[in-house]
Amino acid sequence: HVYLSCYVQIIYSSIYIPLCYFLVGQTNLKSPEDIQVYVVNSNFTLRWNYTGNDTNVTFSAECRFEGYETDKTEWKELSGCQKVTRTECDFSSAITEYYDTHHVRIRAERREEVSPWSSIFEMIPYCIGMSSIYSHQEEQLSSYALCNCFLQFRSLSIFPTDIIDDLAPVTTYCLKVQATIPLDLKEGLFSPIHCVKTTHKVNDLVCATNVSVFALNMKFHLHWNNQYKQHVTYNVQYLMGYLKKLHDDYSVKWLSVPRCENITDTQCNFSSIIIGTSGFYYLRVQTVNEYNKSCLSDEVKVDPLITNEIGPPDVKLDISDVLLHIQISPPGGSESEVMRDHYDLSYRILYWKNSSNNEEEIKMKEIKQTIGTVSDLTPSTLYCVKVQAFSEFYNKSSHYSKEECIKTPGDKILPLIILATFVTALIAVCLVATILVFALYQAYNKIKYVFFPSCQPPLNIEHFGGQLFSSPYLSTTEEVIENCSIIETIIIEEVNQIDFKDDKHSKQSSRDSGNYSNDDDTSGSKVSEEMVEKEIV
């Protein structure tokens, strides 16, 4: 009996112990499955599935955080999701760190029985909230990778007092701030994350919209749109950029742009306030309606050398010998020293042959000077050029200038041939003209000598016998020669008779007529014949 009893005790003990273990560690409750998170208007809802047939089952969830700068924390009860009877719960009040990674797990409970924990669900509240904005409907996110697609971080350098624009309405934004000392390359720790939700957008019709800056060659203009249908006036205000870096209140330090006060136009030239290129400016437009209600537009930042755009240069062309000279005037004209001194401009030259062949190659060259040359030109060809100014440091470039064209001179061999031909022809004409003039001159002299002789016969024989001896070269007939012979005899006889009658009178006559040179009677006839022969000669 004792032995049996002891044996029974042993058997009982061996059976009792496993039975106790089964009652404590075993449960028929199943774990929740398919955990999901839904977001509607920034309200976070946790949902899951439960396949068990048990009744009177409740569900509880736990959560732990894993921050960027912190390790994983201990599991804690998830507020809003404790002992719920439905397969969903709202845990919006538990979200305080939107950028931290959240780990969530759920289990089923019935009195003292509990199910094993579900698989861990991982999420980042911020990116889940962003997903609801893009989809405009309930969005399911079941993995960290899907969540990460919507996560967008922005980094801004702000001043002690600053405004962040361009936020979406009815959206939760989170931020943390870090102080830096740029000169010492020192950075502080980030502040705790703070989140705020933007309100609905209010469309104030009085405010100026689409405020923008148009700047070309350091000439600055502010443009905006007017959406108010009634009469309004505008005041353009500006603020020196460095004032925002100070801890003082800069709201009272806005100044009015000269000649842009109480205007009705929707543009303003504010070039007069740009007094340097090292600083920057903020501008805004104040609109005032007929009821003296005012509204300030969004601010625009103006950094002169960055905001300004480079205009096209002016180009002049010239040809000398076989070179094409390109003279470039910098953008802004000769008065714009800022364009030349601060942008360190270079010039990109495009040139090509302007012909009917569309396949002519466009050639390019870049220079730093304002004078460029192009060689290897083709004679009698039209070349066209356009130039672009650009700044490598500021990564800016202008539009190309207006196309300018010039024609190169023709080949020099043909002009030389034409010149030589002309000179030769001129010399030949001059020679022929000289010869012709000389011939005409000689003919003129001969004609004049024959028909109009300068030498006349003696007076005593000029009209003798009624005959006219106008020229000794005139051809005479045979009868005239006979008469001349008779006349010569008569002259001799008459002279002799006169000599006999009056010697003194004869001498006087011979002197008057020039036919006798002495008083010798016997030589008178010979002298007279010699004189006649001389006259004939």
Side-chain angles (χ1 to χ4, degrees):
H1 175 76
V2 174
Y3 175 78
L4 179 61
S5 175
C6 181
Y7 177 80
V8 171
Q9 290 292 332
I10 295 174
I11 297 300
Y12 180 79
S13 298
S14 63
I15 296 175
Y16 178 77
I17 294 174
L19 180 60
C20 292
Y21 175 80
F22 175 79
L23 293 175
V24 175
Q26 292 293 326
T27 178
N28 293 326
L29 299 179
K30 294 183 178 181
S31 301
E33 298 176 350
D34 302 328
I35 299 177
Q36 301 168 356
V37 173
Y38 290 84
V39 180
V40 179
N41 296 329
S42 301
N43 295 321
F44 292 81
T45 302
L46 186 65
R47 294 178 181 175
W48 60 91
N49 290 330
Y50 183 70
T51 58
N53 295 323
D54 306 293
T55 59
N56 300 324
V57 176
T58 59
F59 303 92
S60 297
E62 289 184 348
C63 179
R64 70 179 180 185
F65 308 100
E66 183 180 356
Y68 177 75
E69 298 176 349
T70 59
D71 296 330
K72 293 180 181 179
T73 60
E74 298 294 331
W75 287 100
K76 296 181 180 180
E77 293 182 350
L78 183 61
S79 176
C81 296
Q82 298 298 312
K83 298 185 180 302
V84 295
T85 58
R86 303 174 58 186
T87 57
E88 66 177 35
C89 62
D90 187 341
F91 65 101
S92 303
S93 60
I95 303 299
T96 58
E97 303 294 336
Y98 283 81
Y99 283 102
D100 289 350
T101 302
H102 291 60
H103 295 162
V104 179
R105 64 182 183 181
I106 307 173
R107 70 181 179 182
E109 300 174 345
R110 186 178 57 184
R111 297 186 182 90
E112 289 79 10
E113 294 184 60
V114 294
S115 70
W117 289 105
S118 67
S119 59
I120 295 176
F121 177 80
E122 186 177 283
M123 69 170 184
I124 298 177
Y126 173 79
C127 63
I128 296 179
M130 292 296 294
S131 68
S132 64
I133 298 173
Y134 289 105
S135 62
H136 297 284
Q137 60 184 3
E138 293 186 357
E139 183 77 21
Q140 174 181 339
L141 295 174
S142 58
S143 67
Y144 174 78
L146 182 59
C147 173
N148 194 39
C149 295
F150 294 96
L151 186 60
Q152 295 181 356
F153 291 92
R154 294 173 58 188
S155 178
L156 297 175
S157 295
I158 63 173
F159 303 109
T161 303
D162 211 334
I163 297 175
I164 300 177
D165 297 324
D166 301 328
L167 301 181
V170 195
T171 304
T172 300
Y173 287 89
C174 299
L175 60 87
K176 56 183 179 180
V177 181
Q178 177 190 46
T180 62
I181 305 177
L183 295 179
D184 297 337
L185 300 178
K186 293 183 178 181
E187 296 181 348
L189 299 176
F190 277 100
S191 68
I193 296 176
H194 294 270
C195 298
V196 293
K197 187 175 182 180
T198 58
T199 61
H200 292 278
K201 183 178 181 180
V202 177
N203 188 16
D204 193 341
L205 297 178
V206 178
C207 291
T209 59
N210 298 329
V211 181
S212 59
V213 177
F214 176 77
L216 183 66
N217 296 335
M218 302 307 291
K219 303 296 182 182
F220 295 86
H221 293 81
L222 189 69
H223 296 260
W224 60 90
N225 293 337
N226 175 27
Q227 57 181 351
Y228 192 64
K229 303 302 180 182
Q230 304 300 325
H231 175 73
V232 293
T233 58
Y234 303 101
N235 295 312
V236 181
Q237 302 173 346
Y238 74 97
L239 178 72
M240 302 296 293
Y242 75 91
L243 294 175
K244 282 194 174 185
K245 296 182 178 181
L246 306 178
H247 291 272
D248 298 335
D249 182 13
Y250 59 82
S251 61
V252 295
K253 297 182 180 180
W254 288 84
L255 303 175
S256 296
V257 176
R259 296 185 296 277
C260 292
E261 302 173 272
N262 298 322
I263 61 176
T264 57
D265 293 336
T266 56
Q267 62 179 357
C268 163
N269 185 344
F270 63 96
S271 304
S272 59
I273 70 170
I274 308 297
I275 58 177
T277 58
S278 57
F280 57 95
Y281 307 82
Y282 291 94
L283 285 99
R284 67 184 183 185
V285 179
Q286 182 188 34
T287 308
V288 181
N289 65 3
E290 67 272 23
Y291 304 108
N292 205 29
K293 178 184 177 182
S294 65
C295 178
L296 293 173
S297 69
D298 295 334
E299 301 174 8
V300 292
K301 181 180 178 180
V302 178
D303 192 334
L305 292 179
I306 296 178
T307 306
N308 179 64
E309 297 296 334
I310 302 174
D314 294 329
V315 179
K316 292 183 179 180
L317 304 180
D318 190 17
I319 291 287
S320 66
D321 296 334
V322 293
L323 294 178
L324 171 61
H325 297 272
I326 304 171
Q327 183 176 354
I328 304 172
S329 298
S334 58
E335 299 179 355
S336 183
E337 298 180 357
V338 175
M339 299 296 295
R340 299 193 308 269
D341 299 340
H342 292 84
Y343 279 109
D344 189 22
L345 294 175
S346 300
Y347 301 95
R348 185 176 292 113
I349 301 174
L350 298 182
Y351 62 97
W352 65 95
K353 297 179 183 179
N354 192 354
S355 62
S356 58
N357 184 8
N358 295 328
E359 296 181 358
E360 290 290 347
E361 179 184 1
I362 298 179
K363 299 181 180 180
M364 183 191 72
K365 66 181 305 184
E366 294 182 357
I367 61 174
K368 293 286 293 183
Q369 300 79 13
T370 55
I371 296 179
T373 57
V374 176
S375 58
D376 300 331
L377 303 179
T378 304
S380 301
T381 303
L382 186 66
Y383 280 88
C384 293
V385 177
K386 59 183 180 180
V387 181
Q388 179 189 47
F390 66 95
S391 172
E392 293 183 356
F393 182 80
Y394 287 95
N395 192 25
K396 289 179 175 290
S397 59
S398 70
H399 294 291
Y400 277 96
S401 65
K402 184 178 65 174
E403 182 178 305
E404 298 288 341
C405 298
I406 191 171
K407 189 173 183 179
T408 57
D411 197 346
K412 291 186 176 181
I413 297 178
L414 182 60
L416 290 177
I417 295 176
I418 296 175
L419 180 62
T421 303
F422 175 76
V423 172
T424 303
L426 183 62
I427 293 174
V429 170
C430 290
L431 290 176
V432 173
T434 302
I435 295 173
L436 181 60
V437 170
F438 181 75
L440 292 175
Y441 179 74
Q442 292 298 326
Y444 169 76
N445 287 339
K446 292 295 183 181
I447 294 172
K448 181 180 179 182
Y449 189 74
V450 171
F451 293 99
F452 307 99
S454 61
C455 182
Q456 301 294 333
L459 294 176
N460 58 347
I461 64 173
E462 183 175 1
H463 299 287
F464 187 79
Q467 301 293 330
L468 178 61
F469 296 91
S470 60
S471 177
Y473 293 100
L474 286 175
S475 59
T476 58
T477 61
E478 185 177 354
E479 184 179 358
V480 176
I481 294 174
E482 292 178 351
N483 289 338
C484 287
S485 176
I486 296 172
I487 292 172
E488 182 179 0
T489 305
I490 295 172
I491 292 173
I492 296 172
E493 289 177 355
E494 287 181 356
V495 172
N496 290 335
Q497 291 177 2
I498 293 171
D499 290 340
F500 282 114
K501 291 179 181 180
D502 192 350
D503 183 47
K504 184 179 296 185
H505 182 270
S506 176
K507 293 179 182 179
Q508 184 66 35
S509 298
S510 65
R511 286 194 298 271
D512 294 337
S513 61
N515 295 326
Y516 302 97
S517 60
N518 53 56
D519 296 333
D520 191 353
D521 294 334
T522 60
S523 62
S525 178
K526 296 179 180 180
V527 171
S528 179
E529 294 177 357
E530 293 176 357
M531 292 299 292
V532 173
E533 291 176 356
K534 290 181 180 179
E535 286 295 327
I536 294 173
V537 173

